[in-house]
Amino acid sequence: QVQLVESGGGLVQPGGSLRLSCAASGSILSINTMGWYRQAPGKERELVARIGSLGGTYYADSVKGRFTISRDNANNTGYLQMNSLKPEDTAVYLCNAYVVTISLRGMDYWGKGTLVTVSS
């Protein structure tokens, strides 16, 4: 079994910064892709950023130039650095990862999410 746990969310003023963390635990052999999604009330879930096993990245146009995704493979942890935050960034941010376990079973996993509120 694999668990993903997000942390780092909270209340921040417009223009501020936050760093989200996603810690994966369990019988992990490797993590291929890791991504961050967000979902605001009444809106569809949106892919914010993804990072591949070799470090290639994707960003949604709405966050490009402001957010940076990274990963620490030795600790099975992903990060999302969020700068120049705007009120429209307010959402529950969810971590997603494709994980291969030591039994060689690959599956897509989701964390429960962490709330980011950007408001003055």
Side-chain angles (χ1 to χ4, degrees), residues 80-97:
L80 185 68
Q81 178 67 46
M82 305 184 295
N83 298 327
S84 302
L85 283 162
K86 305 174 180 179
E88 50 263 45
D89 295 319
T90 296
V92 173
Y93 284 73
L94 303 107
C95 179
N96 169 255

Side-chain angles (χ1 to χ4, degrees), residues 19-30:
R19 188 183 73 165
L20 306 183
S21 298
C22 174
S25 62
S27 301
I28 299 170
L29 179 64
S30 65

Side-chain angles (χ1 to χ4, degrees), residues 9-10 42 48 59 61 79 104-105 109:
V48 176
Y59 297 95
D61 288 342
Y79 303 95
L104 301 181
R105 182 181 184 184
Y109 292 89

